[in-house]
Amino acid sequence: MDIQLINIGFGNIISANRVIAIVSPESAPIKRIVNDAREANRLIDATYGRRTRSVIVMDSNHIILSAIQPETMGHRFFTNKDS
């Protein structure tokens, strides 16, 4: 199994094999997931102080915040999978 990496912005990279979902942060359930992860010290903020545009759910139960749109992230995900 090859390790595939995805750039989530500002030089931050995650393992594509461990991603469960890439979602928008606007809905109330996602906001609850982010708050729960923050309280449980499972939140990784990779926004560098910018507005959160996507929330990445990992199989390790970690939540990653990114300043890149979910559509852009999905495009990078599938482009990387084809390589």
Side-chain angles (χ1 to χ4, degrees):
M1 179 160 97
D2 291 335
I3 297 176
Q4 297 179 336
L5 303 174
I6 302 292
N7 181 349
I8 61 167
F10 306 109
N12 297 302
I13 298 171
I14 60 172
S15 174
N17 301 333
R18 312 254 347 236
V19 173
I20 293 177
I22 302 170
V23 295
S24 173
E26 305 302 321
S27 72
I30 299 302
K31 289 179 182 178
R32 266 194 302 276
I33 289 171
V34 169
N35 285 333
D36 290 348
R38 182 175 283 120
E39 291 172 2
N41 292 324
R42 293 183 286 110
L43 182 71
I44 300 168
D45 187 350
T47 62
Y48 280 74
R50 296 194 172 65
R51 180 174 165 235
T52 300
R53 294 197 172 144
S54 62
V55 176
I56 305 163
V57 181
M58 306 296 285
D59 66 353
S60 63
N61 225 8
H62 285 85
I63 304 298
I64 302 172
L65 306 180
S66 176
I68 295 181
Q69 293 285 351
E71 295 83 11
T72 304
M73 196 90 54
H75 179 67
R76 290 179 183 181
F77 187 85
F78 287 114
T79 301
N80 208 14
K81 285 272 189 191
D82 294 338
S83 302

